[in-house]
Amino acid sequence: MGIFINRGNADFQRILNGEYVDKTGLIAVVNKTLFSEQSMSCVTRCRRFGKSMAAKMLCAYYDSSCDSRSLFAGLEAERDASFEKHLNKYPVLYIDMTDFITRYKGDDSIVSHIDREVRTEVHTAFPDTPAEEGDDLMALLLRIVLKTQKPFFFIIDEWDAICREFPAGSKGMDSYVNWLRRMFKSVSANTAFAGVYMTGILPIKKYSTQSALNNFIEYSMVRPGDMARYFGFTRDEVLQLTEKHGADF
C-alpha cells in the first residue's frame, strides 16, 4: 500500500469497523460526473462534516489496486446502476495537504516537495513508464495514461491547507496556484483524470485561486447540490442514532 497511490481500502475498512452512517450514496453522484465537463468536484464544509471520511470511502471504491466489493455489501452505493461500472477501475492518487503543511510548515518550497514526493511514488508504482529529465508530476501522469489507457482518479483532502498557511502573493502561495493550474486547467487534465475530488474548509472564492480552479464544481454549505445529504447528518439519521442508543432526540 502506498502513501499517495494504491492506498487501497484499509482506511475505509477502519471507518466501517466503527459506527458508520451510510453515506455511500455519494458514489453515485460522483460517478455521474466522470469523463464529463463536471468531472472536477470540490466539497467545502467546516470541520467535522465527514469530508475526509468521504474521501477515504471514494478511494476504497475507485482504487484498482484492491477489491472493495465486500466493504459495500448492503450499503446504498451497491444498489446504484453505476456501482459495478466503476468499482476498483482506476489508479487513485490521494494527497492529504495537511500532512505536507505539518512537515514543511513555513517552507516556501512546499510545492516542490509535494510534486517530487508524489512523482517519485507514482514512478515506483509504474516502473515500465520511464521518467524523463525535467518531468513534473503532470508530465509523468500523462505518459502513464497514454501507455496504459487508464486515467487516474485524483483525491485531494484539505486542498486549501496551503492557502491557510501562506498569504496571497507569497512564493509558497504563488507556486501552489501555478501547480493547481498545471494539474487541472490544461486540456491535458481531461486525458489524465477520469475525475477529481477535493475537500476544503472555506469556499474557493475566499482565496486568490479562482483562475486555477474555476473549472471545479463547488458544493458548498449554501449550494450543496446533489451532495447535500452526504455531509453532516440528516434529521432522520440523528433520530435513528438516538433510538439505537436510547438517547433523547
Side-chain angles (χ1 to χ4, degrees), residues 5-218:
I5 191 168
N6 297 338
R7 287 181 61 89
N9 56 28
D11 290 335
F12 186 51
Q13 177 67 74
R14 291 175 68 89
I15 292 171
L16 292 176
N17 289 342
E19 185 166 33
Y20 179 64
V21 175
D22 187 358
K23 298 292 184 178
T24 63
L26 175 66
I27 289 172
V29 177
V30 177
N31 281 349
K32 291 178 182 178
T33 71
L34 299 183
F35 302 103
S36 76
E37 291 297 313
Q38 292 78 43
S39 64
M40 298 185 184
S41 305
C42 184
V43 174
T44 55
R45 294 287 190 285
C46 55
R47 291 182 173 88
R48 315 315 301 172
F49 267 73
K51 302 187 303 297
S52 294
M53 291 179 68
K56 292 170 181 175
M57 180 263 292
L58 291 174
C59 181
Y61 172 73
Y62 289 115
D63 195 333
S64 59
S65 71
C66 58
D67 182 355
S68 301
R69 184 181 303 277
S70 63
L71 298 184
F72 293 97
L75 297 178
E76 182 179 350
E78 188 185 41
R79 300 190 291 273
D80 187 79
S82 69
F83 179 75
E84 292 288 343
K85 181 177 180 180
H86 301 289
L87 175 65
N88 299 134
K89 292 296 194 301
Y90 308 101
V92 174
L93 280 169
Y94 187 109
I95 300 178
D96 181 352
M97 287 298 179
T98 58
D99 175 61
F100 284 99
I101 287 295
T102 301
R103 290 191 287 135
Y104 299 110
K105 187 175 179 64
D107 187 344
D108 282 339
S109 301
I110 187 170
V111 175
S112 296
H113 293 300
I114 294 170
D115 198 90
R116 173 180 50 79
E117 291 185 25
V118 178
R119 186 174 71 251
T120 298
E121 188 173 302
V122 169
H123 184 232
T124 300
F126 293 89
D128 293 338
T129 302
E132 297 185 2
E133 185 177 355
D135 269 358
D136 61 3
L137 176 59
M138 189 57 163
L140 180 59
L141 293 178
L142 282 170
R143 200 172 299 116
I144 291 170
V145 173
L146 291 173
K147 181 180 180 63
T148 64
Q149 296 299 301
K150 294 181 179 180
F152 291 81
F153 189 89
F154 198 173
I155 298 173
I156 301 180
D157 200 9
E158 301 287 1
W159 79 271
D160 56 342
I162 290 178
C163 303
R164 303 194 301 269
E165 179 70 18
F166 295 95
S170 65
K171 178 182 176 182
M173 184 63 170
D174 287 347
S175 296
Y176 188 44
V177 172
N178 287 333
W179 185 81
L180 292 171
R181 186 177 291 115
R182 166 68 170 145
M183 296 302 299
F184 304 126
K185 282 290 288 184
S186 71
V187 293
S188 300
N190 291 332
T191 300
F193 307 122
V196 180
Y197 176 89
M198 300 199 311
T199 76
I201 294 176
L202 295 177
I204 290 172
K205 66 180 180 180
K206 176 70 177 178
Y207 304 104
S208 58
T209 57
Q210 296 96 317
S211 62
L213 295 174
N214 61 8
N215 53 332
F216 275 77
I217 306 300
E218 185 170 7

